[in-house]
């Protein structure tokens, strides 16, 4: 297990700024897609861009990529539980009695 | 006494834990994991009602959302995540002045985002969209205001860190405290990344 106080493997300020720029560009593309009305690919493209932004913040800014695996498990248990909760709620609402 | 010397006198050794990781950081990740479910429930509720009441009540997302304005707010919150991680990087190498600048910038960007949200609410209410207009508006206000409360708590924590640093009570050796506040702040940003797409951008395509 990595030392939680060892920050040598973390990215530096220059890399953080690059990630910030990617996040800004991805948001710009999302807004452009909203106005462009690209038909059936709009929603998948928006969700894909959201996933990229989500991953960049979680893995780089929150250091999940470099930290203990236990933190990764804690976080993704929450994410999966949220998805299960969402699926169950929507299913109950639409397919229930 | 120089700042680095002052930091050394405040040095607090990391407590040994059975997991080999700091307890407070573990606690913060557990909180974040549970908050995922909380926001997941709110988003699920919103998505159910956005379809159910779209045409019935006369208030639709397309009519009321100001996408350019919300896009700027989103950009501001994303940049606050960048300034937060730069604040953490600064305190980890003992650059306290840079830490104070970036942490204050993060709080300021958060306050700008929150002001934008309050302004958006006043516009909605002026246009007749209140909490009780329809299940859709209720779900919208509950989801976004709950997120706003999280931003407000984050701003308070950032200002507390800044004040502690100004008083010399937040040395480099306590960078873990900043890291935990940073985790919370980034999580608030991640939730907004999802809300921006799912609540603001996608409903117009449905």
């Amino acid at each position: 297990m990595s030392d939680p106080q060892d920050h040598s493997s973390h990215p530096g300020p220059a890399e953080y700024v690059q990630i910030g720029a990617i996040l800004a560009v991805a948001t710009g593309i999302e807004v452009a897609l909203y106005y462009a009305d690209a038909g059936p690919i709009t929603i998948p493209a928006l969700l894909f861009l959201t996933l990229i932004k989500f991953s960049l913040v979680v893995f780089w800014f929150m250091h999940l990529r470099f930290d203990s695996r236990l933190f990764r498990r804690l976080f993704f248990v929450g994410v999966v539980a949220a998805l299960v909760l969402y699926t169950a709620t929507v299913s109950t609402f639409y397919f229930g009695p | 006494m120089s700042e680095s010397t002052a930091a050394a006198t405040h040095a607090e050794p990391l407590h040994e834990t059975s997991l080999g990781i700091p307890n407070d950081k573990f606690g913060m990740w557990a909180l974040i994991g549970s908050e995922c479910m909380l926001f997941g429930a709110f988003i699920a509720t919103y998505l159910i009602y956005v379809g159910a009441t779209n045409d019935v009540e006369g208030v639709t997302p397309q009519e009321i959302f100001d996408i350019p304005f919300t896009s700027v707010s989103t950009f501001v919150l994303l940049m606050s995540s960048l300034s937060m991680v730069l604040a953490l990087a600064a305190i980890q190498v003992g650059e306290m002045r840079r830490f104070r600048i970036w942490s204050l910038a993060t709080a300021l960007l958060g306050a700008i985002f929150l002001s934008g949200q309050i302004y958006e609410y006043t516009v909605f209410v002026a246009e007749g969209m209140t909490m009780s207009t329809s299940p859709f508006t209720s779900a919208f206000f509950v989801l976004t205001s709950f997120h706003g409360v999280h931003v407000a708590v984050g701003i308070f924590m950032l200002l507390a860190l800044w004040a502690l640093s100004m008083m010399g009570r937040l040395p480099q050796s306590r960078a873990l405290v900043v890291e935990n506040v940073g985790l919370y702040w980034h999580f608030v940003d991640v939730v907004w990344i999802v809300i921006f797409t799912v609540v603001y951008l996608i409903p117009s395509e449905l």
Side-chain angles (χ1 to χ4, degrees), chain A residues 1 4 7 16 20 24 27 30-31 34-35 42 50 54 57 61-64 67 70-71 78 81-82 85-86 89 93, chain B residues 19 21-22 25-26 29 33 36-37 41 44 48 67-68 71 75 78-79 82 85 88 92 183 186 190 197 201 204:
Chain A
M1 192 178 287
H7 309 291
Y16 288 136
T27 304
E30 280 181 333
V31 177
Y34 172 84
Y35 284 109
T42 306
T50 300
F54 181 96
V57 174
F61 283 180
M62 294 172 88
H63 299 142
L64 210 55
D67 256 336
L70 186 63
F71 298 143
L85 179 74
Y86 168 74
T89 310
F93 199 87
Chain B
L19 292 171
I21 51 177
K25 191 171 177 181
F26 178 82
W29 274 110
C36 283
M37 283 192 71
I48 286 168
I67 298 300
S71 303
F75 176 76
L78 284 172
M79 291 306 104
L82 174 62
V85 82
L88 175 63
Q92 283 173 341
L183 287 174
H186 295 309
V190 161
T197 303
L201 299 182
S204 66

Side-chain angles (χ1 to χ4, degrees), chain B residues 131-150:
Chain B
M131 187 91 170
S132 56
T133 304
S134 70
F136 152 64
T137 60
S138 296
F140 171 79
F141 278 116
V142 168
L143 170 61
T144 54
S145 64
F146 212 79
H147 177 266
V149 168
H150 277 72

Side-chain angles (χ1 to χ4, degrees), chain B residues 1 27 39 68 85 89 100 115 141 149 161 176 181 196:
Chain B
M1 189 190 293
F39 279 103
V85 82
R100 284 193 283 269
S115 306
F141 278 116
V149 168
L161 289 181
L176 189 62
V181 172
F196 178 59

